[in-house]
Amino acid sequence: MTKEIESTLEKAQDAFTALGKFSISQRVALMRTVADEIESLGPELISTAQEESHLPEGRLVGEKGRTIFQWRSYADALEKGSSLDASIDTANTERTPPKPDIRKTNVGLGPVTVFGASNFPFAFSTAGGDTAGAIAAGCTVIVKAHPGHPKTSKMMADAISRGVEKSGFPEGTFSHIVCETYEEAQILVSHPFIKAVGFTGSYQGGMALVEVANKRPDPIPVYAEMGSINPVFLLPEKLSTSASELAKQYAASLTLGVGQFCTNPGLVISVESEDLNLFTDTLQEEILKVVPAPMLNAGIAKGYAGNLDKMISQNGVEVLAVATAEASEGQGSATVASVSGLDFLLNDALQNEVFGPFALIVKCKDAEEALAVTAKIHGQLTATLLATSVDLAENEALVSLIGTKCGRIIFNNFPTGVEVCKSMHHGGPFPSASNNQYTSVGADSIKRFVRPLSFQNWPDEFLPEELKNSNPLNIWRTVNNELTKEAIS
Ligand code: NAP
């Protein structure tokens, strides 16, 4: 282990011990100060990220705003007590046997390592949701810098460190580290000080870290958000009313950001019909018009080309359209292909993620085959139904099966936007995520980095503030099974 990694781990551990003395309101203030520091980063942040990620300015400006909102909204959630989940069951000495006083809150797990993604240099990287969530939880954080945007990562890290210093928190509350090898990066998972890992990226990367974590004498959670092809189900009545319009909207969602979203809708499932033909004809026209654009980096562009080649060489796959304008090096060409329901059922490779602007349309011979295809689909972050109410009512079995396959089920809308709010679930059954119980977006993502701690018969003055009789934080608590802000007399 290098000296730098060793001292970073020690600082993170020491800071975690010291964090016990900081109040919830100090932690809230820290998060708001970090948000202000990120906000004050000027145009240089955007131009640096643009240069490193090839993402357009408008997209990056929006992503910066989203990142600031994540810090502020998670701070609000902490202030309101929602991530603490405080509950109190008061004593009953009359009962036989007597019931003790039991109170429960959520405490930080310990130092957390965050592996950011290449495709969101702000919102899912160094200062992204995993880091904000872990800090809100009361953890210290070590970020392993993504090599796709090293300067951006450093600028964000410096902003967080300034926030830490200004708020009077110990230096090791947040650290940023550049790893030269996978071995080095994996020490940040296997080391006994580390108590959880947040990851967004490839299936291979996520699973490598899960394996390292599971081999520890004390296995720890790895919250890995990995690949997803986000199926879109076209149901007959909806298709009969607006096939062309749907195809245009779908093409826009598929090719947004050169398809480099974990929620990119890369799979369409429908039953063969004239309306489906109209949908695919319009989709082909739209795809032909898409102007190829630079992908995040040379590796991602190479990965797209290679995975696309593998996909279109599978049995029964027919290419329907490729963007007319030729792609230069580093760019990705939008492509659409189709396959029969039967071929899809016979070949698991057709479910591999082709990260970029690619869609596979599965044409099923009838509703029964569509149900079989759906049953075969792996776990997904999202599934989308383009349907009418009649379609929903007439396809009950399909609709409930789809619900078992995804973390977010969408009706007549598209999955690429991921709203940051408490009700968002950004995660899903394996392999879209390594743990399908938690979201990586929205204030509930804080809960990945806490563990419950119960206090039994504890003197009020020594209880954490969120469990004290007087409810000094004025938060909602479950007291004897009722949600209330009332103090306990
Ligand atoms: P990635 O290659 O999985 O890398 C993410 C982070 O994990 C990087 O810091 C990487 O380090 C590290 N890492 C990867 N494998 C590792 C291992 N075996 N041991 C230790 N550390 C490891 O993801 P990416 O760079 O963001 O994009 C690559 C691919 O991931 C894309 O082509 C796409 O398929 C997928 N992706 C999926 C999502 C999603 O949200 N589902 C988002 C983005 C990307 P190094 O870079 O230093 O190797």
Side-chain angles (χ1 to χ4, degrees):
M1 182 177 3
T2 66
K3 285 238 161 345
E4 191 198 358
I5 295 181
E6 196 174 344
S7 86
T8 303
L9 284 159
E10 271 163 16
K11 273 189 203 160
Q13 173 69 3
D14 291 348
F16 179 69
T17 309
L19 247 50
K21 295 199 180 65
F22 286 78
S23 65
I24 301 270
S25 54
Q26 283 174 301
R27 210 192 306 159
V28 169
L30 161 68
M31 298 196 61
R32 290 181 177 151
T33 309
V34 169
D36 293 345
E37 287 296 323
I38 297 172
E39 194 164 45
S40 71
L41 292 173
E44 200 192 336
L45 175 77
I46 304 295
S47 58
T48 306
Q50 244 184 304
E51 198 182 297
E52 291 188 323
S53 68
H54 307 127
L55 292 169
E57 184 185 358
R59 147 76 197 270
L60 287 166
V61 169
E63 194 183 324
K64 181 185 170 198
R66 176 194 176 98
T67 307
I68 296 161
F69 179 74
Q70 285 176 168
W71 283 86
R72 291 190 176 140
S73 63
Y74 297 5
D76 292 348
L78 175 61
E79 189 171 50
K80 290 188 177 130
S82 70
S83 60
L84 300 170
D85 235 344
S87 66
I88 299 174
D89 286 87
T90 53
N92 180 355
T93 49
E94 310 290 296
R95 200 189 71 176
T96 313
K99 181 181 165 210
D101 182 284
I102 310 264
R103 303 181 182 212
K104 185 168 73 176
T105 185
N106 283 329
V107 297
L109 283 176
V112 167
T113 300
V114 170
F115 290 76
S118 55
N119 59 341
F120 280 88
F122 303 153
F124 283 85
S125 190
T126 310
D130 285 355
T131 302
I135 296 278
C139 298
T140 56
V141 171
I142 300 175
V143 164
K144 185 267 188 210
H146 197 292
H149 46 264
K151 293 185 204 150
T152 307
S153 187
K154 179 76 171 57
M155 289 172 89
M156 280 297 199
D158 289 347
I160 300 172
S161 295
R162 280 196 298 276
V164 166
E165 198 188 339
K166 282 187 183 170
S167 313
F169 275 67
E171 189 194 340
T173 303
F174 173 82
S175 318
H176 178 249
I177 195 157
V178 174
C179 294
E180 301 298 333
T181 62
Y182 280 168
E183 287 69 32
E184 280 183 18
Q186 290 178 9
I187 292 170
L188 299 173
V189 179
S190 61
H191 195 279
F193 287 166
I194 298 299
K195 295 299 179 220
V197 175
F199 170 94
T200 308
S202 65
Y203 175 79
Q204 290 75 11
M207 290 311 290
L209 302 186
V210 168
E211 204 183 314
V212 173
N214 286 341
K215 279 193 183 144
R216 290 169 51 128
D218 59 334
I220 56 165
V222 175
Y223 300 107
E225 193 240 288
M226 305 180 285
S228 189
I229 50 173
N230 305 296
V232 174
F233 294 84
L234 299 177
L235 294 189
E237 191 183 77
K238 183 72 181 177
L239 207 50
S240 72
T241 59
S242 46
S244 283
E245 188 47 37
L246 289 174
K248 286 181 189 160
Q249 291 168 0
Y250 172 70
S253 177
L254 177 73
T255 58
L256 186 72
V258 203
Q260 299 166 113
F261 288 104
C262 46
T263 49
N264 191 52
L267 189 72
V268 174
I269 296 167
S270 194
V271 174
E272 281 177 348
S273 68
E274 278 309 310
D275 297 322
L276 179 61
N277 293 342
L278 179 56
F279 175 91
T280 51
D281 288 348
T282 314
L283 180 59
Q284 283 170 239
E285 285 163 23
E286 292 299 306
I287 292 298
L288 293 175
K289 290 189 276 188
V290 177
V291 180
M295 299 193 77
L296 288 157
N297 55 55
I300 298 248
K302 200 168 156 225
Y304 177 61
N307 291 329
L308 186 57
D309 274 353
K310 273 188 219 152
M311 181 61 72
I312 60 181
S313 61
Q314 298 295 314
N315 202 28
V317 174
E318 183 195 346
V319 174
L320 300 180
V322 180
T324 312
E326 206 173 317
S328 342
E329 202 171 324
Q331 296 188 329
S333 285
T335 304
V336 174
S338 72
V339 73
S340 71
L342 181 61
D343 282 324
F344 186 87
L345 285 169
L346 294 173
N347 187 356
D348 250 14
L350 296 176
Q351 296 199 46
N352 291 343
E353 185 183 32
V354 179
F355 190 69
F358 169 74
L360 183 66
I361 298 170
V362 184
K363 296 179 172 177
C364 302
K365 70 174 172 6
D366 52 27
E368 202 182 326
E369 191 173 77
L371 206 56
V373 163
T374 307
K376 176 105 174 144
I377 283 178
H378 303 153
Q380 304 290 334
L381 295 173
T382 73
T384 299
L385 283 95
L386 300 180
T388 62
S389 297
V390 171
D391 286 324
L392 292 189
E394 287 180 355
N395 291 276
E396 248 179 83
L398 178 73
V399 174
S400 60
L401 184 59
I402 295 169
T404 67
K405 298 283 179 178
C406 65
R408 176 161 55 111
I409 185 162
I410 298 157
F411 182 68
N412 289 339
N413 211 313
F414 287 91
T416 22
V418 184
E419 192 65 35
V420 180
C421 61
K422 183 163 164 56
S423 307
M424 173 56 67
H425 184 72
H426 188 62
F430 186 84
S432 65
S434 57
N435 181 322
N436 70 10
Q437 293 175 294
Y438 292 97
T439 179
S440 67
V441 173
D444 271 355
S445 68
I446 302 169
K447 293 184 181 164
R448 292 171 301 164
F449 303 113
V450 295
R451 65 182 178 88
L453 179 62
S454 285
F455 294 80
Q456 183 163 335
N457 278 354
W458 211 247
D460 192 63
E461 61 185 302
F462 291 106
L463 278 169
E465 43 194 345
E466 63 271 31
L467 297 180
K468 285 188 192 298
N469 285 338
S470 63
N471 192 14
L473 299 179
N474 192 30
I475 57 172
W476 288 101
R477 310 188 293 184
T478 307
V479 177
N480 296 326
N481 300 317
E482 298 290 341
L483 205 54
T484 174
K485 284 190 174 183
E486 293 294 307
I488 293 165
S489 48

